[in-house]
Amino acid sequence: MPFFKITQIRSAIGLPKKTTGVLKALGLRKRMATVFHPVSPQVAGQIMAIKELVAVSEVEQALTKSEMRANRRPHPGYYIETPASEALDARI
């Protein structure tokens, strides 16, 4: 089942209450917030009302909050082969 991945790019400060109401109905509260909604004509109509404020893409599967957080985490650039406590125990 496809989903819309909706990310709020621009702020709604100073915009009409109708526009801010649509953002709240979609679950968008802050800039760079991302929500997933199933593809439907109702959601598509809401997106068209705020198309200047959001970035939309269609994905096959909605991500959970923890999966989205893991995707944002950068690569550490290094690997720890043995924990420090084991290395100290081996020396003693």
Side-chain angles (χ1 to χ4, degrees), residues 12 15-29 46 49-50 53:
L15 294 177
K17 285 193 174 226
K18 181 178 180 181
T19 304
T20 57
V22 172
L23 285 171
K24 286 183 180 179
L26 286 171
L28 296 167
R29 306 263 185 254
Q46 288 178 326
I50 56 167
L53 306 177

Side-chain angles (χ1 to χ4, degrees), residues 1-5 36-43 57-63:
M1 175 180 192
F3 288 88
F4 285 127
K5 177 183 177 184
F36 292 89
H37 287 284
V39 173
S40 68
Q42 293 83 11
V43 175
S57 61
E58 191 173 329
V59 295
E60 281 299 315
Q61 178 176 333
L63 299 176

